[in-house]
Amino acid sequence: MSIHNLQFLRSFLTSISEGILVVDRKYTIVYANKALSQLFGYTEEELINQELAVLIPNRIKKQHTKFVDSYNKNPKQQKMSDRDGIFGLHKLGYEIPIEIGLNYFKNDDEQYAIAIISDLSSVKRTNGFLKNIHHIITNQGHSTTEKITDILELGCTMFGLNIGILAQIVEDDYIIKNIAANEKHKQALLAQPSLKVKDTFSAEVIIADEPIFRNNLSSSSANSNALWNLENFIGAKVMVEDKLYGTINFSSEISSDFNFNQTDLEILKLIAQLIGDMIKRDDLVSKLKAFNTELESNVASRTQELRYALKEIQDINVSLKTEVKKRIAAEEAANSSLEQERKLNDLKSRFVSMASHEFRTPLTGILSSATLAEKYAEIGNKEKHHKHIQTIKKSVNHLTSILNDILSLNKIESGVVACQPIQFDIAELTEDVVESMKTILKANQTLVVNKNIDGEPTVFQDEKLLHRALINLISNASKYSDEGKPIVLNVSKDSTNIIIQVKDSGVGIPLEDQQNIFTRFFRASNSGNVQGTGLGLNITKNYIELMQGSISFESEPELGSTFTLKIPTNYNEE
Ligand code: ADP
């Protein structure tokens, strides 16, 4: 092998990450590359010419010697690992899980064994880490903050360092979010009023693409601003949605012989990524919660608004209802006064038509009789003169009776007329009425009186009102019957009432008019040329009611009518 090739081989062996060890038959180390020396805590020179035994833990030395003896007798290519009970012994005395690829070669009749040794500790640590991290992340009982602290603690164990920190970086500020450390370090860190990024190793972390690690820091100047003298540091950026959130780092003030390797950096990257994801998730959850709260409060305030609106509508509704009621009442009042007015107008027009008819005839009669009477007086015809004077008197009496009716009505309306009861004999009253009617009845008209009065004929009532009422009814019976038609007056009395019926066989009252005959100035359509004012029945009804009695009638056109009075025998003065 040329010098050149030898140098290449050396530099190759030095640079590879696997440890390479060559021993002779007497188990003396003849070659150890850099990786192997570092794995076992030695320098390359320290190991040359050492017994292989220095690298074997005591507990397996015997077993190992046996194995090497048999291997020397029958050397072959072979692979072994901690599963076969193979462990290395670190210079500091602890065991290292290793994997060995064994082979042999001969040189100048000398047989050498060559071992390619890989450090299994990082593989083992990785497996352990993955198991633990899974456990931490799936722990339902822990909050995100607690989970992050758990991860920091796991990192500390993993890297053999005693301080783990998650810090948020906001502009220049280094804000510690979670710490895994002993109380002393925790208190010291939290007591810091405000930390600046530039005073921490994170200043280096955030500008590097990959995680960084530093060993043997106590001998460097980097510690000048640190709280205590750091010996080891490993740190990575924590990104949340592609933006820098902060850093995660592990450090120790105790000098440890730990060598960070690629696996550690990968694990750190994984931790940083996990924490970033957790923060993102948490952020999202809190945003969702805030959104939800906002939504709930929006819904609540909207509901409140709706409630107010509903209340307003209800209030408006109530006031509308009141308004509607008021308007209906006002309308009813207007309608009723309109109705009153209409009735009054009706009354007026009925009065005017009655007056024009009933007054004109007697007035014309009076005028012509007066003229004639004057003439007959001039020519000395006393008889004719007297006749016309009588006609004038009759007409004047008629006019007087109309005016009396109108006056009576007025008196009734103004409450002047009142019932003035006295004790009188109903039989006597009947006879008086019959007597008064004699001059009024038409030719051949008879007034038949049937009395059926039980016991005492005296009653306690207004005699005058009853007298006028009966005269009215009998006058009508006479007026609306032809000559020769009989009129019947039935008078009966029991302990409580006087019942008087006035029956005629006259023209009767047309059905359609029957409901109006007690209305003032109303005259039925068949009243023809019969003189009248339409006031008699209205006045009669008022009189009867003043006497606490009632009036009713039955009538058939062409056949006749019967008017019935029912009046208490004893007017109740209370
Ligand atoms: P009038 O002065 O016109 O008789 P009343 O008030 O006494 O006024 O009667 C009202 C109307 O009732 C009369 O105009 C008439 O049409 C009708 N009437 C009253 N009594 C009778 C009766 N006995 N027979 C038929 N019609 C009658």
Side-chain angles (χ1 to χ4, degrees):
M1 189 180 284
S2 71
I3 287 289
H4 179 75
N5 282 347
L6 204 63
Q7 265 178 353
F8 166 75
L9 190 63
R10 272 182 191 282
S11 68
F12 169 73
L13 290 173
T14 305
S15 66
I16 63 169
S17 62
E18 271 78 20
I20 300 195
L21 184 72
V22 182
V23 292
D24 61 15
R25 269 181 166 275
K26 289 174 207 141
Y27 322 136
T28 307
I29 298 168
V30 293
Y31 176 76
N33 74 346
K34 191 180 171 194
L36 184 118
S37 309
Q38 275 177 353
L39 175 63
F40 285 85
Y42 296 88
T43 61
E44 288 161 83
E45 292 74 33
E46 270 180 317
L47 281 177
I48 304 298
N49 294 327
Q50 285 281 342
E51 289 293 312
L52 174 62
V54 297
L55 301 180
I56 312 292
N58 274 337
R59 63 175 180 91
I60 55 167
K61 262 186 186 146
K62 262 191 190 162
Q63 183 191 336
H64 182 256
T65 316
K66 253 194 217 163
F67 170 75
V68 177
D69 284 345
S70 72
Y71 184 81
N72 276 341
K73 281 176 201 152
N74 184 22
K76 59 176 188 225
Q77 194 172 350
Q78 193 172 337
K79 207 170 192 179
M80 289 174 296
S81 73
D82 60 333
R83 264 169 281 150
D84 306 303
I86 298 295
F87 283 87
L89 180 67
H90 192 273
K91 189 182 177 184
L92 292 176
Y94 60 84
E95 292 187 11
I96 314 162
I98 49 174
E99 188 180 66
I100 302 179
L102 211 54
N103 212 341
Y104 71 97
F105 64 92
K106 284 189 174 166
N107 191 13
D108 299 337
D109 287 340
E110 182 64 48
Q111 181 176 300
Y112 297 92
I114 178 160
I116 298 173
I117 298 175
S118 313
D119 178 10
L120 282 188
S121 51
S122 62
V123 174
K124 286 197 158 295
R125 287 208 329 271
T126 309
N127 286 341
F129 166 77
L130 290 175
K131 232 193 247 164
N132 281 317
I133 201 94
H134 175 75
H135 180 71
I136 290 170
I137 289 169
T138 53
N139 185 350
Q140 299 288 339
H142 273 187
S143 67
T144 304
T145 315
E146 286 169 325
K147 283 179 185 173
I148 291 176
T149 311
D150 289 347
I151 293 174
L152 290 177
E153 270 164 12
L154 175 67
C156 284
T157 320
M158 276 263 319
F159 302 126
L161 303 171
N162 58 358
I163 305 165
I165 296 174
L166 168 71
Q168 188 179 8
I169 292 173
V170 179
E171 293 176 3
D172 295 344
D173 294 323
Y174 181 85
I175 304 155
I176 295 174
K177 289 292 197 183
N178 299 66
I179 309 173
N182 62 26
E183 274 312 302
K184 186 189 109 190
H185 288 134
K186 237 188 231 177
Q187 297 306 329
L189 278 165
L190 294 174
Q192 287 292 306
S194 63
L195 281 167
K196 294 288 168 198
V197 186
K198 63 177 171 44
D199 299 331
T200 67
F201 284 107
S202 290
E204 278 183 60
V205 177
I206 58 173
I207 52 170
D209 286 337
E210 289 295 310
I212 63 161
F213 65 91
R214 299 285 181 265
N215 277 326
N216 303 320
L217 285 169
S218 54
S219 53
S220 80
S221 62
N223 259 319
S224 57
N225 288 320
L227 280 175
W228 44 76
N229 270 342
L230 288 183
E231 192 61 38
N232 311 83
F233 175 91
I234 180 164
K237 285 193 277 198
V238 174
M239 307 293 284
V240 174
E241 288 190 292
D242 294 337
K243 279 192 203 118
L244 179 75
Y245 169 85
T247 60
I248 176 164
N249 59 67
F250 298 90
S251 55
S252 178
E253 57 175 343
I254 309 156
S255 170
S256 103
D257 209 41
F258 193 84
N259 277 326
F260 301 118
N261 60 23
Q262 195 53 38
T263 317
D264 296 316
L265 296 179
E266 289 302 327
I267 285 176
L268 183 65
K269 252 166 115 174
L270 189 68
I271 289 179
Q273 203 177 325
L274 265 173
I275 289 179
D277 286 350
M278 282 161 86
I279 293 169
K280 178 178 154 186
R281 214 190 114 249
D282 232 36
D283 193 41
L284 242 129
V285 168
S286 58
K287 269 184 192 153
L288 266 175
K289 272 187 189 157
F291 178 69
N292 200 32
T293 314
E294 197 188 314
L295 206 74
E296 272 171 9
S297 96
N298 279 349
V299 168
S301 71
R302 191 83 193 99
T303 310
Q304 190 59 33
E305 274 170 29
L306 281 176
R307 239 180 242 143
Y308 285 144
L310 198 73
K311 176 85 181 52
E312 257 171 48
I313 290 172
Q314 280 169 343
D315 288 349
I316 290 172
N317 215 14
V318 168
S319 62
L320 267 178
K321 273 184 188 160
T322 326
E323 189 59 21
V324 166
K325 265 189 198 158
K326 269 192 209 160
R327 287 185 185 197
I328 289 175
E331 198 180 308
E332 276 171 359
N335 277 344
S336 111
S337 59
L338 208 75
E339 177 67 7
Q340 294 280 2
E341 181 133 345
R342 201 185 57 74
K343 278 186 180 166
L344 206 68
N345 273 337
D346 223 34
L347 203 67
K348 262 189 214 160
S349 61
R350 274 187 273 124
F351 174 76
V352 170
S353 87
M354 180 279 293
S356 59
H357 184 258
E358 291 302 308
F359 286 7
R360 185 180 291 142
T361 319
L363 285 174
T364 319
I366 287 168
L367 194 66
S368 63
S369 289
T371 316
L372 288 170
E374 211 172 29
K375 246 183 196 163
Y376 287 120
E378 275 170 21
I379 59 169
N381 188 338
K382 276 190 179 167
E383 197 187 330
K384 290 257 172 101
H385 174 258
H386 178 72
K387 188 187 150 208
H388 285 292
I389 293 296
Q390 288 311 310
T391 311
I392 291 171
K393 275 186 181 169
K394 216 173 147 194
S395 295
V396 169
N397 280 340
H398 180 61
L399 284 174
T400 311
S401 91
I402 293 176
L403 288 173
N404 277 341
D405 276 356
I406 293 171
L407 267 171
S408 303
L409 203 70
N410 198 38
K411 277 185 192 161
I412 292 167
E413 277 217 321
S414 53
V416 175
V417 186
C419 183
Q420 288 171 332
I422 51 159
Q423 293 283 349
F424 67 93
D425 189 324
I426 185 74
E428 281 177 18
L429 172 82
T430 314
E431 277 157 27
D432 275 1
V433 170
V434 173
E435 193 55 37
S436 313
M437 284 308 299
K438 275 185 181 160
T439 50
I440 299 168
L441 294 178
K442 289 180 185 164
N444 296 325
Q445 268 183 347
T446 50
L447 178 60
V448 183
V449 182
N450 298 315
K451 273 186 254 172
N452 186 12
I453 301 164
D454 288 340
E456 236 337 279
T458 42
V459 293
F460 182 66
Q461 266 297 357
D462 192 317
E463 189 183 11
K464 283 182 187 159
L465 293 185
L466 184 55
H467 189 274
R468 280 183 219 156
L470 288 176
I471 296 288
N472 266 341
L473 292 179
I474 301 168
S475 302
N476 280 351
S478 162
K479 274 200 299 185
Y480 300 106
S481 302
D482 287 338
E483 291 180 2
K485 294 274 176 156
I487 297 163
V488 179
L489 179 66
N490 292 326
V491 182
S492 62
K493 175 187 163 279
D494 58 23
S495 55
T496 48
N497 290 301
I498 316 159
I499 315 281
I500 302 174
Q501 282 187 319
V502 179
K503 208 173 178 168
D504 65 56
S505 307
V507 295
I509 304 161
L511 282 180
E512 65 274 16
D513 292 336
Q514 290 192 2
Q515 56 178 351
N516 293 318
I517 60 157
F518 290 108
T519 309
R520 261 179 253 172
F521 301 114
F522 180 84
R523 307 204 68 207
S525 53
N526 63 345
S527 56
N529 286 327
V530 182
Q531 284 193 331
T533 57
L535 286 175
L537 280 181
N538 183 274
I539 291 168
T540 304
K541 189 171 188 276
N542 277 304
Y543 286 168
I544 301 301
E545 280 166 4
L546 278 172
M547 287 187 276
Q548 298 167 341
S550 63
I551 180 167
S552 59
F553 73 94
E554 279 177 2
S555 182
E556 264 191 69
E558 315 292 345
L559 290 176
S561 315
T562 302
F563 283 82
T564 305
L565 305 180
K566 191 177 178 188
I567 303 156
T569 47
N570 277 305
Y571 178 80
N572 184 356
E573 285 178 303
E574 285 165 21

